[in-house]
């Protein structure tokens, strides 16, 4: 067993967050598991650990002799499926994801290699044209399409189901359980339900099957290890839903950098892998509009699932209200 003393700890804006890291027995068990996982690959720890503690995960940077650092991640029960999902994705779509060094599905632990540069870091130090965002969206959509046959298996791992046909029921549950909505906001959403049912029917009629939806795919959730190649990670918010629900978060981030004029190009780059097999570009573009709105349900549900009582739960209410906004496309 390697020395546990004096790791650096980063709590960010969440100084009062309670995590299992504070429990010495848990910390010792987790780091023993990390050591065993590394040893299975002929690796050993060298240097000081760096722990990043957040309400939604414990993340530890582990320096390793002779190679880039590896990362231990512990998910809470609400997203404990992430390790098993990441390992399955590495089998099904290895060119798009990280290959875990080890994972423990029962405890929600995973040990991951370094993924290279975060796309966010690349954006900060280099001039990056909108075409890069088009490329990453095309690669992501290609991955989603390849995962369609695995949707049921993904759900059996514990990934939440938010299938297109289930979204009205999910909306009802979210609205009933949310205590942060003002009465006028609740009334606006309640009045929206008939239209929401229509959006779901329109999306179902597109003929695109449900697949894996990352639900929070922004520039801090993917690596850019080399020009033109992207690796997707951090699947704790994921659900099985209509794949087009993934577009909104990424597109909004890109528009924040370049302006709304890039949005049609981003949309078309994302849709290109879905064309063919009876789907025209015009039909797919029409399907983006209801998916853009309905994506709010998956994100609101993720916030509520991970933070049912914390102050962060108000984010679920704010996200639900996005249903009332007209899509920019």
């Amino acid at each position: 067993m390697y020395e546990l003393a004096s790791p650096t700890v980063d709590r960010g804006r969440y100084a009062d967050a309670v995590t299992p890291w504070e429990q010495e027995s848990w910390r010792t068990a987790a780091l023993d598991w990390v050591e065993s996982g590394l040893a299975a690959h002929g690796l050993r720890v060298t240097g000081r650990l760096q722990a990043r503690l957040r309400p939604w995960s414990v993340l530890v940077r582990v320096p390793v002799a002779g190679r880039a650092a590896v990362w231990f991640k512990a998910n809470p029960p609400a997203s404990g499926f992430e390790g098993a999902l990441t390992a399955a994705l590495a089998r099904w779509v290895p060119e798009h994801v990280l290959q875990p060094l080890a994972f423990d599905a029962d405890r929600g632990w995973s040990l991951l290699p370094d993924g290279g540069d975060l796309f966010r870091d690349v954006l900060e130090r280099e001039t990056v044209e909108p075409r890069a965002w088009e490329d990453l969206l095309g690669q992501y959509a290609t991955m989603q399409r390849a995962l369609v046959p695995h949707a049921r298996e993904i759900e059996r791992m514990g990934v939440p189901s938010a299938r297109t046909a289930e979204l009205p029921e999910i909306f009802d549950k979210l609205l009933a359980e949310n205590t942060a909505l003002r009465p006028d906001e609740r009334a606006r959403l309640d009045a929206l339900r008939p239209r929401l049912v229509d959006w779901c029917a329109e999306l179902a009629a597109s003929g695109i099957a449900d697949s894996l939806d990352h639900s929070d795919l922004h520039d801090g959730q993917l690596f850019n290890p080399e020009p033109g190649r992207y690796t997707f990670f951090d699947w704790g918010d994921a659900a099985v839903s209509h794949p087009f629900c993934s577009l909104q978060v990424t597109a909004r981030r890109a528009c924040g950098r370049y302006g709304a004029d890039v949005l049609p190009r981003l949309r078309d780059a994302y849709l290109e892998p879905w064309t063919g097999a009876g789907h025209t570009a015009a039909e797919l573009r029409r399907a983006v509009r209801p998916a853009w709105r309905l994506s709010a349900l998956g994100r609101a549900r993720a916030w509520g699932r991970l933070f049912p009582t914390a102050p962060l739960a108000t984010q679920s209410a704010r996200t639900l209200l996005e249903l009332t906004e007209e899509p920019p496309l």
Side-chain angles (χ1 to χ4, degrees):
M1 176 177 144
Y2 52 86
E3 183 59 51
L4 304 181
S6 302
T8 63
V9 176
D10 166 22
R11 294 182 178 273
R13 298 184 289 111
Y14 307 98
D16 298 328
V18 177
T19 73
W21 181 262
E22 283 75 42
Q23 304 169 26
E24 184 176 355
S25 59
W26 183 93
R27 191 169 64 245
T28 300
L31 296 179
D32 282 351
W33 181 82
V34 169
E35 184 181 39
S36 297
L38 290 174
H41 295 274
L43 303 173
R44 63 180 178 83
V45 178
T46 178
R48 195 177 190 185
L49 306 182
Q50 298 174 6
R52 181 179 180 272
L53 310 183
R54 299 293 187 267
W56 52 86
S57 70
V58 171
L59 187 66
V60 182
R61 183 182 184 274
V62 183
V64 175
R67 59 173 286 170
V70 303
W71 300 83
F72 165 75
K73 185 172 185 178
N75 290 81
S79 60
F81 57 79
E82 185 175 357
L85 174 61
T86 301
L89 295 178
R91 297 193 303 272
W92 298 329
V93 285
E95 66 275 26
H96 298 297
V97 298
L98 297 173
Q99 171 70 60
L101 299 170
F103 73 96
D104 185 323
D106 292 333
R107 292 189 284 192
W109 293 353
S110 52
L111 188 62
L112 299 165
D114 186 80
D117 288 334
L118 272 179
F119 188 46
R120 174 177 293 167
D121 294 338
V122 175
L123 291 170
E124 289 178 357
R125 71 168 186 258
E126 300 176 13
T127 299
V128 177
E129 298 299 325
R131 178 57 188 268
W133 295 76
E134 296 172 36
D135 290 343
L136 76 86
L137 282 168
Q139 291 178 33
Y140 175 71
T142 298
M143 177 184 68
Q144 285 185 298
R145 187 169 184 179
L147 292 173
V148 166
H150 302 287
R152 291 295 180 196
E153 190 170 350
I154 291 171
E155 288 173 327
R156 286 194 291 270
M157 293 174 191
V159 177
S161 175
R163 289 181 176 269
T164 306
E166 300 169 354
L167 291 178
E169 181 181 346
I170 289 171
F171 170 79
D172 292 342
K173 193 172 190 317
L174 288 170
L175 196 59
E177 294 178 350
N178 195 292
T179 59
L181 289 164
R182 300 194 310 264
D184 63 306
E185 294 172 336
R186 186 177 301 277
R188 286 168 60 201
L189 288 169
D190 193 48
L192 196 68
R193 192 185 192 281
R195 294 181 64 196
L196 185 142
V197 172
D198 290 342
W199 298 332
C200 292
E202 182 181 352
L203 201 53
S206 71
I208 301 294
D210 294 320
S211 184
L212 185 64
D213 171 17
H214 186 286
S215 293
D216 194 27
L217 186 62
H218 57 70
D219 49 19
Q221 308 279 43
L222 62 147
F223 296 110
N224 184 199
E226 60 187 56
R229 187 166 74 85
Y230 301 91
T231 305
F232 307 99
F233 74 103
D234 205 348
W235 298 96
D237 290 348
V240 172
S241 191
H242 197 284
F244 291 8
C245 290
S246 289
L247 177 62
Q248 200 245 59
V249 170
T250 318
R252 280 194 183 276
R253 288 297 181 99
C255 290
R257 297 184 67 89
Y258 307 106
D261 289 348
V262 302
L263 188 51
R265 290 171 50 190
L266 297 175
R267 174 201 59 198
D268 290 350
Y270 174 77
L271 293 177
E272 195 280 331
W274 301 99
T275 57
H279 303 299
T280 68
E283 290 169 340
L284 295 175
R285 286 172 183 158
R286 284 195 295 272
V288 166
R289 286 183 57 81
W292 186 282
R293 283 192 187 261
L294 292 167
S295 70
L297 293 175
R299 289 179 286 114
R301 192 186 191 200
W303 278 101
R305 175 168 52 86
L306 291 167
F307 312 111
T309 59
L312 287 170
T314 57
Q315 179 64 38
S316 180
R318 289 195 292 270
T319 304
L320 270 178
L321 289 168
E322 291 180 17
L323 286 164
T324 66
E325 300 173 3
E326 283 294 327
L329 287 163

